[in-house]
Structure formats: structure tokens, C-alpha cells
């Protein structure tokens, strides 16, 4: 509030704790009655020194320039001295107000910190209550509470508990459906793995991050790759076997002459016939492995 005490004095009122504190001040005033005359003189000097610099007057021009700079500096120095003197009450007043606002600021900072600590504690307590309720409901639904996404808005003091319950239930229902679907998908993948003669564990685990259709497609591709690889290996073995000849019980590569194996003989006796088998050691090992794999019963007979 501004109250004119006289033609120059003004007053402001500061109210603190129901008490009024007055501040009286005078607007800054500087009397410069001969400004007009001084301005005219400066203009006369300026006009006087507006001449063309030549070789004849270059020395004088430099002296004139120096004198004009001295005059300019003298005027500026007077300005600085006067303004500094006039500004002293303003600077003092600003420092006084700053001391007061700093004191108040320290108190508000203290209160702010306590308010923040209180609200943070209340928020943490509210969050823990929600986590307990999430855990309770997830145990009933038999799902992992870690899969529930906590909405930050739930933790606001003004948040509705009914909204929390509603949004939580939506997530629980979704997770229950996903779990039920996962059980069905596992059955499909397990059955498909059995058809393709593949171990099922890896493909079941893949369902956690991959769609069923993609898993089934990958299974088919993998089984096809294995089949093709087996065919390539079989073909390579057949081609390699075709190059081997029996030379007095020694298996020799007919192209290179390299000794690659030894031939052995075995007798296979049935009710109707007796067979003599001649094959390399490698072939007999493969035959023995095949007999074991398909479950043919066998026993050693000692003569």
C-alpha cells in the first residue's frame, strides 16, 4: 500500500504475524539545473572539432582527440560517483530484505523436508499395503504376484482404492487366462515334440516368450534340419563305403589306397538258415548299436 506522507515521501506496509511494519522512502532525485547549458556547450565543441584531418593538421587532431576523451571520461566519472552515492540506500535496503527472506527460506526448507519425508513414508506404507493385497489375491488365483504391474497412480494420496481393486482384478484375470492358455500350449508342443521325436523341454520353455504358432514352426524347421543332416550323413557314409574294397581282410580306399579299417566275419544262425556276415569293424559297431537301439534281446554264448 502506498501512502504519500508529503510530496516526496512514500510508505509501504509489511504485515507479518498480524503486525504491521512500515517502510518510508523517498524516490531518488538528482538536481541537474545546468544540464541544458552544458549540453549546448558540448554541441558547440562537437561542431568545432568536426573538421577534415589532413597532413597539415594531423598532430593537432590527435591533441584534440585526447582532450575530448578527457572530457568524456570526466563526465562519466562524475556519473559513476553520483549514482554510487544515490544507490547506497537502495543497496542497504536490498541486503536487509535478503537477510529477512533468507531466514524465512531456511525455515520453509526445513518444513519442506519434513513434509517430503512424511509423504514419502506414507507413500511407502501405502505401497506395502497394496503389495500385501496383491500377494493375497494372487495366491488365491494361483499366479505369480511379481507379474502384476503397479500403477504409480495407485500410490497417490487422493487415489481411489476402488480403482486399485478394479485395475488389479483386470490384471489377475488376464494372467489367469494366460496361464490356462499356457497349459494348453504345453500340451500341444509336447505332443508335437513326440511326433517329431524331439526333446520337449526346450520348446516348452520357449513358450514363455514366443507365440505357439512360432514355436511349432521352429520345431518343424529344426526337425527338418535334423532329417536333412541325417540324410546327408547317410549319403556321405554310403559314398565313402562305396569306395572301400576288401583286400585280404583289409579295408582300403580304392581311390587313395589308404587303409581305413579291417574286415571281420560273424555268423548269424536262424532256424532256417546260417548266414556269414563280412563287414568292417566300423560297420559291426554300427550294427551292434542298432541292435541295442531297437531293443533286440541278445546274450553271449560261450562254446
Amino acid at each position: 500500500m502506498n501512502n504519500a506522507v508529503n510530496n516526496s515521501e512514500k510508505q509501504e506496509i509489511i504485515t507479518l504475524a498480524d503486525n504491521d511494519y512500515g517502510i518510508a522512502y523517498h524516490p531518488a532525485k538528482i538536481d541537474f539545473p545546468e544540464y541544458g547549458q552544458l549540453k549546448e556547450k558540448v554541441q558547440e565543441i562537437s561542431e568545432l572539432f568536426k573538421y577534415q584531418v589532413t597532413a597539415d593538421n594531423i598532430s593537432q587532431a590527435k591533441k584534440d582527440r585526447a582532450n575530448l576523451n578527457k572530457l568524456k571520461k570526466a563526465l562519466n566519472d562524475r556519473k559513476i560517483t553520483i549514482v554510487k552515492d544515490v544507490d547506497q540506500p537502495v543497496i542497504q535496503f536490498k541486503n536487509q530484505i535478503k537477510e529477512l527472506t533468507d531466514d524465512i527460506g531456511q525455515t520453509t526448507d526445513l518444513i519442506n523436508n519434513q513434509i517430503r519425508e512424511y509423504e514419502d513414508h506414507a507413500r511407502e506404507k501405502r505401497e506395502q499395503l497394496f503389495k500385501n493385497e496383491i500377494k493375497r489375491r494372487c495366491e488365491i488365483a494361483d499366479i505369480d504376484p511379481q507379474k502384476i504391474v503397479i500403477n504409480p497412480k495407485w500410490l497417490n494420496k487422493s487415489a481411489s482404492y476402488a480403482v486399485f481393486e478394479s485395475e488389479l482384478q483386470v490384471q489377475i484375470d488376464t494372467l489367469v487366462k494366460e496361464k490356462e492358455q499356457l497349459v494348453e500350449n504345453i500340451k500341444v508342443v509336447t505332443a508335437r515334440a513326440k511326433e517329431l521325436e524331439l526333446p520337449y523341454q526346450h520348446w516348452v520353455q520357449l513358450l514363455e516368450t514366443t507365440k505357439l504358432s512360432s514355436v511349432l514352426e521352429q520345431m518343424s524347421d529344426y526337425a527338418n534340419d535334423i532329417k536333412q543332416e541325417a540324410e546327408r550323413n547317410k549319403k556321405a557314409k554310403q559314398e565313402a563305403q562305396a569306395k572301400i574294397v576288401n583286400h585280404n581282410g583289409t579295408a582300403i580306399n580304392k581311390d587313395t589306397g589308404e587303409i581305413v579299417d579291417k574286415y571281420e566275419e560273424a555268423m548269424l544262425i536262424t532256424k532256417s538258415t546260417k548266414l556269414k556276415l563280412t563287414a568292417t569293424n566300423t560297420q559291426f559297431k554300427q550294427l551292434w548299436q542298432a541292435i541295442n537301439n531297437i531293443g533286440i534281446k541278445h546274450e553271449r554264448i560261450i562254446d
Side-chain angles (χ1 to χ4, degrees), residues 97-111:
I97 294 298
K98 186 178 185 306
E99 289 180 4
L100 296 174
T101 56
D102 285 349
D103 289 343
I104 295 173
Q106 291 177 4
T107 304
T108 57
D109 287 345
L110 178 62
I111 295 174

Side-chain angles (χ1 to χ4, degrees), residues 107-120:
T107 304
T108 57
D109 287 345
L110 178 62
I111 295 174
N112 283 338
N113 291 336
Q114 294 185 64
I115 291 174
R116 188 182 302 108
E117 290 177 2
Y118 177 85
E119 291 180 343
D120 288 346

Side-chain angles (χ1 to χ4, degrees), residues 151-210:
N151 187 340
K153 293 182 179 179
W154 294 348
L155 307 180
N156 294 336
K157 184 178 180 181
S158 59
S160 168
Y161 190 79
V163 171
F164 157 71
E165 289 183 305
S166 175
E167 293 183 357
L168 172 59
Q169 192 59 48
V170 169
Q171 290 195 51
I172 290 177
D173 292 342
T174 300
L175 291 173
V176 168
K177 291 180 181 179
E178 290 177 353
K179 183 178 180 181
E180 293 172 349
Q181 186 62 54
L182 179 60
V183 171
E184 295 301 317
N185 291 348
I186 289 175
K187 292 180 181 178
V188 173
V189 166
T190 303
R192 183 58 175 161
K194 185 176 182 180
E195 293 175 6
L196 298 175
E197 298 181 350
L198 297 176
Y200 68 89
Q201 291 87 347
H202 166 72
W203 307 105
V204 168
Q205 186 177 7
L206 193 60
L207 284 171
E208 296 180 2
T209 57
T210 310

